[in-house]
């Protein structure tokens, strides 16, 4: 009989670093794991094996780096863009977009290496693209197979009235007493329906004296395409000031005093040459903001309000004018990213800053600008992300991920190190790419520079942050290179670029994480680089050329079929199947930490004491085909005991999924840790809600 029953009801601390395996005093020790492979933690506490990776397509050139960029117009129109060596390909709903039977492509000037450093931001059907060695461009979508890539001109979209305004004087005052011949000079701008104002027209003039009763100057001008209104300016002491507006094509000036605080704008393009191309981009308060060029790494440029490609200014400045400023600090640290959160957050290579309009203003403007330092951590080049109202960013050094949010009590942005509990996953590594899948489980997928893939379940309001790691292919040989998440069918779906060795050749595949939602076991997809056949029952499964020479596994109508080798792009099943998921096998595993029963009254610590676990009870959900043991091993190892599920089920049907408690007697073993392995070798679902080992202590 066991002395005690231990109970671990949650796994919300994820895989803990070996440096913490003795920290039984930590609250998160009780919800941590020693190993968590190919699983993810649910925010509510359970742990599940991840779904399989569905093969989408090989990249255009497997011998070159490729980048994935997401493009989402709305919840129904979502795309993944493959940026390669001087091209873009388009994927929608897991398929490659074709044109005339061939992959649709957009020609670019970005090399494969350049594509890795692109920074982008989207507004409706337009994606703005930045790279320090290329002019700013925008990618526009007209249809699935009709995209345009153009350079941004940074000028008003509406043109001024063409030609020179004609100025006549229906109120001619010449010859009247006191007449003083005065030259009046006028220019006119056009206003679009969006409210954007054009540059001023050419200057028209007339000689008259408006100070005399009846003096009138009539300004006539040509119509401008797209204009809904015109603004007329008159010169006063060398400055053109506002005198009025009209919807017609003439304007009468009856000696209106020019408003010299409202002047026409002048054109400005800060990004017009090599060395002046911005590194990063974002939207903030209805403005398009760029930052950090090679020649000015600490500068920020913000467009006119609501006029994203207009960086024009007037003198004196208007509240809606473009804004330019520079960080003045002890060190010259390049701005690496910008993001809008309670102002404009600037992450530089050495510090973090918040830009606002100050306490006297609601918005940033040329006359309302305040920069506040928030710390000196320094950010890596990978772009930050927002989870709820919290920013996650990677530090420049140490492979550290931090959250960053506003704290009212401190009146500043504060955060914590999210990798402190799993430092072993990031030692000597940098984050190469990451993205956030909010639905269904609030998971951040992170690709490291050594090809590793890790995931972070993050829910700040529940104090949940849990890391797990992922592998794919024989002996975990797959090398992950990129990730992007896009909404499809009500879930945020991660797409990966995975480098594999197939039949002796290096291949780069685009693969998407399959949905884990399924109604029956036959619908469960837990194979990597896999495909699904659905139709009339067949034995021969074709179309597997991307796995030529590989040993694969299948789930055929809910039954596991192992150890098949793809030959000629095909395999043969022993029995015909109508729903067949086939691909590379995947092993999922968790290992608990050393047992700690110190909470049992009067027992004290059992760390280091000899102990044995004669029986383990698991509380599971929709689970089938798991192994348990105190030592690691493969499915043939005597160290692991399989849970034999079939008892009363119909033998003519696939074994169903189990929800509830199951008990297993592992191989008898005395050790000083009492930890247990739970493994899944087959393409079947596994969700563990709690582990309850019976424990016998050595005397």
């Amino acid at each position: 009989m066991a002395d005690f029953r231990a109970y671990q009801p949650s796994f919300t601390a994820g895989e803990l670093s070996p440096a913490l395996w003795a920290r039984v005093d930590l609250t998160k020790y009780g919800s941590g794991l020693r190993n968590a492979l190919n699983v993810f933690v649910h925010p509510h506490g359970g742990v599940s094996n991840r779904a399989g990776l569905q093969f989408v397509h090989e990249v255009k050139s497997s011998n070159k780096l490729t980048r994935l960029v997401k493009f989402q117009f709305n919840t129904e129109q979502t795309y993944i863009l493959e940026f390669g060596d001087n091209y873009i390909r388009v994927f929608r709903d897991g398929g490659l977009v074709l044109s005339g039977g061939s992959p649709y492509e957009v020609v670019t000037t970005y090399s494969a290496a350049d594509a890795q450093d692109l920074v982008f931001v989207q507004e409706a059907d337009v994606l703005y693209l930045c790279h320090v060695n290329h002019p700013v461009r925008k990618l526009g979508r007209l249809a699935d197979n009709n995209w345009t890539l153009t350079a941004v001109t940074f000028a008003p979209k509406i043109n001024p009235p063409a030609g020179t305004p004609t100025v006549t004087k229906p109120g001619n005052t010449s010859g009247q007493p006191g007449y003083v011949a005065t030259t009046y000079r006028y220019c006119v701008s056009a206003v679009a329906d969006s409210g954007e104002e054009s540059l001023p027209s050419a200057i028209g003039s007339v000689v008259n004296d408006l100070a005399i009763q009846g003096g009138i100057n009539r300004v006539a001008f040509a119509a401008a395409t797209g204009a809904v209104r015109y603004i007329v300016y008159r010169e006063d002491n060398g400055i053109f000031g506002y005198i009025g507006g009209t919807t017609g094509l003439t304007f009468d000036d009856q000696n209106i005093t020019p408003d010299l605080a409202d002047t026409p704008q002048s054109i400005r393009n800060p990004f017009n040459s090599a060395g002046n191309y911005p590194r990063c981009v974002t939207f903030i308060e209805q403005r398009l903001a760029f930052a950090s060029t090679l020649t000015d790494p600490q500068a920020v440029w913000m467009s006119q309000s609501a006029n994203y490609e207009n960086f024009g200014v007037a003198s004196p400045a208007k509240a809606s004018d473009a804004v330019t400023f520079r960080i003045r600090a002890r060190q010259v640290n390049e701005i690496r990213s910008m993001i809008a959160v309670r102002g404009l957050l600037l992450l530089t290579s050495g510090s973090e800053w918040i830009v606002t309009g100050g306490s006297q203003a609601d918005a940033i403007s040329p006359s309302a600008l305040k920069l506040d330092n928030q710390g000196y951590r320094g950010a890596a080049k990978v772009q930050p992300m927002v989870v709820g109202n919290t920013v996650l960013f990677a530090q420049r050094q140490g492979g550290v991920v931090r959250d960053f949010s506003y704290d009212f009590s401190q009146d500043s942005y504060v955060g914590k190190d999210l990798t402190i509990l799993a430092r072993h996953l990031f030692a000597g590594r940098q984050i190469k790419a990451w993205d956030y899948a909010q639905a269904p489980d609030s998971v951040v997928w992170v690709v490291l520079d050594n090809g590793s893939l890790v995931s972070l379940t993050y829910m700040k309001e529940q104090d949940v942050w849990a890391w797990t790691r992922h592998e794919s292919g024989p002996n975990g040989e797959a090398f992950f290179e990129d990730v992007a998440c896009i909404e499809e069918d009500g879930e945020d779906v991660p797409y990966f670029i995975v480098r594999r060795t197939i039949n002796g050749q290096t291949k780069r595949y685009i693969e998407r994480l399959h949905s884990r939602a399924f109604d029956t076991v036959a619908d469960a997809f837990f194979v990597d680089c896999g495909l699904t056949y659905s139709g009339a029952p067949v034995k021969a499964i074709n179309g597997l050329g991307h796995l030529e020479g590989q040993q694969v596994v299948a789930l055929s109508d809910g039954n596991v079929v192992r150890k098949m080798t793809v030959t000629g792009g095909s395999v043969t099943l022993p029995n015909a199947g109508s729903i067949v998921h086939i691909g590379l096998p995947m092993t999922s595993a968790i290992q608990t930490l050393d047992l700690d029963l110190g909470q049992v009254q009067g027992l004290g610590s059992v760390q280091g004491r000899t102990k044995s676990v004669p029986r383990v009870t698991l509380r599971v959900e929709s689970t089938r085909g798991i192994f348990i043991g105190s030592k690691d091993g493969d499915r043939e190892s005597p160290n692991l005991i399989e849970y034999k599920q079939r008892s009363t089920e119909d033998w003519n049907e696939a074994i169903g999924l189990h929800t509830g408690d199951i008990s297993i007697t592992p191989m008898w073993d005395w050790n000083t840790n009492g930890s247990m392995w739970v493994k899944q070798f087959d393409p079947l679902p596994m969700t563990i809600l709690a582990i309850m080992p019976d424990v016998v202590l050595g005397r």
Side-chain angles (χ1 to χ4, degrees):
M1 179 178 291
D3 293 333
F4 299 99
R5 165 163 284 192
Y7 183 51
Q8 182 169 347
S10 169
F11 307 95
T12 52
E15 182 173 307
L16 299 187
S17 168
L20 300 176
W21 290 354
R23 290 296 306 275
V24 296
D25 59 315
L26 290 176
T27 301
K28 288 189 175 291
Y29 187 93
S31 58
L33 292 166
R34 184 186 287 254
N35 281 287
L37 174 64
N38 287 329
V39 298
F40 68 95
V41 176
H42 296 276
H44 51 71
V47 61
S48 294
N49 59 336
R50 66 164 172 84
L53 298 175
Q54 178 185 357
F55 174 75
V56 176
H57 208 278
E58 184 179 357
V59 303
K60 180 180 180 181
S61 301
S62 276
N63 61 335
K64 295 181 180 180
L65 287 171
T66 312
R67 173 87 182 274
L68 297 181
V69 173
K70 61 184 176 183
F71 186 101
Q72 181 162 341
F73 177 70
N74 54 34
T75 58
E76 303 298 327
Q77 296 170 292
T78 62
Y79 304 85
I80 288 290
L81 307 178
E82 175 193 331
F83 275 71
D85 193 31
N86 303 121
Y87 74 91
I88 303 171
R89 283 184 169 182
V90 182
F91 293 83
R92 181 174 182 182
D93 298 328
L96 179 62
V97 172
L98 304 178
S99 179
S102 299
Y104 175 74
E105 290 187 8
V106 179
V107 176
T108 78
T109 60
Y110 303 117
S111 68
D114 289 340
Q116 304 302 305
D117 295 323
L118 284 175
V119 177
F120 52 88
V121 68
Q122 184 181 348
E123 195 270 335
D125 258 340
V126 175
L127 191 74
Y128 290 92
L129 300 165
C130 282
H131 191 286
V132 288
N133 294 323
H134 293 265
V136 177
R137 293 185 172 89
K138 59 181 180 180
L139 181 67
R141 180 197 70 123
L142 302 175
D144 287 359
N145 60 354
N146 188 2
W147 300 66
T148 60
L149 183 65
T150 56
V152 181
T153 57
F154 295 109
K157 293 183 178 179
I158 184 170
N159 292 318
T164 301
T166 301
V167 187
T168 57
K169 43 186 181 180
N172 189 350
T173 57
S174 60
Q176 297 188 29
Y179 174 84
V180 177
T182 305
T183 300
Y184 297 91
R185 293 155 57 86
Y186 299 87
C187 64
V188 182
S189 65
V191 179
D193 184 57
S194 64
E196 183 175 21
E197 183 179 353
S198 74
L199 296 172
S201 68
I203 298 171
S205 63
V206 70
V207 177
N208 201 358
D209 187 354
L210 298 182
I212 296 178
Q213 183 71 28
I216 299 174
N217 288 340
R218 178 164 294 163
V219 183
F221 42 87
T225 303
V228 297
R229 185 168 172 264
Y230 300 91
I231 297 176
V232 181
Y233 298 92
R234 193 182 85 199
E235 185 185 42
D236 185 358
N237 291 321
I239 300 173
F240 283 87
Y242 172 88
I243 59 172
T246 179
T247 57
L249 298 178
T250 60
F251 180 86
D252 287 349
D253 176 15
Q254 302 181 51
N255 202 24
I256 303 170
T257 301
D259 182 359
L260 299 184
D262 188 353
T263 62
Q265 65 172 309
S266 58
I267 191 170
R268 187 178 62 136
N269 180 3
F271 321 113
N272 58 2
S273 61
N276 294 314
Y277 304 138
R279 177 177 281 106
C280 48
V281 59
T282 193
F283 285 106
I284 173 71
E285 296 177 356
Q286 296 295 300
R287 299 176 187 264
L288 179 61
F290 297 96
S292 189
T293 64
L294 292 175
T295 58
D296 209 345
Q298 291 187 298
V300 177
W301 296 267
M302 299 169 61
S303 72
Q304 290 186 358
S305 180
N307 300 324
Y308 299 144
E309 298 174 18
N310 190 339
F311 284 75
V313 293
S315 181
K318 305 174 186 177
S320 60
D321 275 359
V323 180
T324 300
F325 62 90
R326 288 163 181 80
I327 297 175
R328 301 301 183 188
R330 295 176 300 173
Q331 299 177 351
V332 178
N333 294 310
E334 67 182 24
I335 298 172
R336 289 184 164 175
S337 54
M338 305 184 291
I339 199 163
V341 283
R342 290 180 59 87
L344 180 63
L345 173 62
L346 303 178
L347 299 176
T348 80
S349 55
S351 56
E352 300 81 53
W353 300 79
I354 283 288
V355 184
T356 65
S359 59
Q360 303 301 316
D362 294 328
I364 299 171
S365 72
S367 60
L369 190 67
K370 186 173 185 287
L371 280 74
D372 291 308
N373 178 261
Q374 305 297 311
Y376 291 93
R377 304 286 185 180
K381 290 184 178 181
V382 65
Q383 296 300 292
M385 66 183 70
V386 177
V387 178
N389 62 353
T390 301
V391 175
L392 303 187
F393 75 94
Q395 278 188 200
R396 177 173 57 90
Q397 293 179 322
V400 174
V401 174
R402 304 192 68 88
D403 62 5
F404 206 56
S405 59
Y406 183 76
D407 185 277
F408 284 95
S409 63
Q410 300 188 40
D411 191 26
S412 66
Y413 277 77
V414 297
K416 59 179 174 289
D417 180 351
L418 296 179
T419 56
I420 189 66
L421 300 180
R423 190 72 84 215
H424 64 300
L425 299 178
F426 298 89
R429 301 170 187 170
Q430 295 290 328
I431 293 177
K432 184 176 184 295
W434 61 351
D435 209 348
Y436 174 56
Q438 176 174 280
D441 290 293
S442 191
V443 177
V444 179
W445 294 92
V446 183
V447 173
L448 301 178
D449 57 0
N450 68 341
S452 300
L453 176 67
V454 296
S455 64
L456 167 68
T457 302
Y458 181 78
M459 190 168 284
K460 183 179 180 180
E461 61 270 28
Q462 301 298 329
D463 197 33
V464 173
W465 78 93
W467 292 98
T468 59
R469 54 194 171 85
H470 304 267
E471 295 177 352
S472 181
N475 302 313
E477 55 81 25
F479 193 102
F480 290 86
E481 294 187 337
D482 201 9
V483 59
C485 298
I486 198 72
E487 183 178 348
E488 292 177 353
D489 297 326
E491 294 187 8
D492 292 320
V493 180
Y495 280 73
F496 301 94
I497 292 180
V498 188
R499 193 174 78 207
R500 300 182 183 274
T501 301
I502 303 296
N503 209 23
Q505 296 184 335
T506 297
K507 298 288 186 179
R508 283 184 167 93
Y509 290 155
I510 297 176
E511 303 177 31
R512 65 193 290 269
L513 188 69
H514 198 280
S515 172
R516 212 178 178 281
F518 48 84
D519 296 323
T520 67
V521 66
D523 297 321
F525 190 102
F526 289 90
V527 294
D528 281 350
C529 202
L531 292 173
T532 296
Y533 167 81
S534 180
V538 296
K539 283 189 174 183
I541 304 296
N542 303 310
L544 300 175
H546 66 288
L547 290 175
E548 185 67 27
Q550 302 301 294
Q551 187 174 98
V552 296
V553 65
L555 189 70
S556 177
D557 293 335
N559 299 297
V560 178
V561 183
R562 308 182 186 96
K563 296 183 179 179
M564 297 178 291
T565 300
V566 178
T567 303
S570 177
V571 297
T572 301
L573 301 172
N575 299 294
S578 57
I579 301 178
V580 182
H581 311 295
I582 187 166
L584 299 173
M586 172 182 64
T587 297
S588 303
I590 62 172
Q591 183 190 16
T592 60
L593 292 164
D594 290 3
L595 279 172
D596 178 56
L597 303 177
Q599 70 273 22
V600 179
Q601 186 175 3
L603 184 61
S605 175
V606 298
Q607 294 291 305
R609 288 184 61 179
T610 303
K611 57 187 73 73
S612 182
V613 178
R615 192 167 185 80
V616 180
T617 300
L618 301 178
R619 187 158 295 164
V620 302
E621 179 183 15
S622 300
T623 295
R624 181 182 133 194
I626 57 177
F627 290 72
I628 294 179
S630 60
K631 296 181 179 178
D632 193 13
D634 57 26
R635 66 177 305 117
E636 309 298 335
S637 171
N639 296 327
L640 299 175
I641 303 299
E642 183 179 9
Y643 173 65
K644 304 292 186 180
Q645 186 170 328
R646 189 183 292 278
S647 58
T648 59
E649 294 92 342
D650 185 346
W651 282 84
N652 293 319
E653 296 181 0
I655 301 174
L657 303 177
H658 183 75
T659 297
D661 289 354
I662 62 175
S663 294
I664 300 177
T665 300
M667 291 293 293
W668 189 265
D669 181 50
W670 287 94
N671 55 56
T672 58
N673 56 63
S675 66
M676 300 301 299
W677 283 91
V678 182
K679 304 191 77 169
Q680 170 64 277
F681 298 103
D682 290 326
L684 294 167
M686 174 185 75
T687 297
I688 311 298
L689 303 179
I691 295 180
M692 297 165 276
D694 295 335
V695 184
V696 176
L697 296 177
R699 304 304 182 200

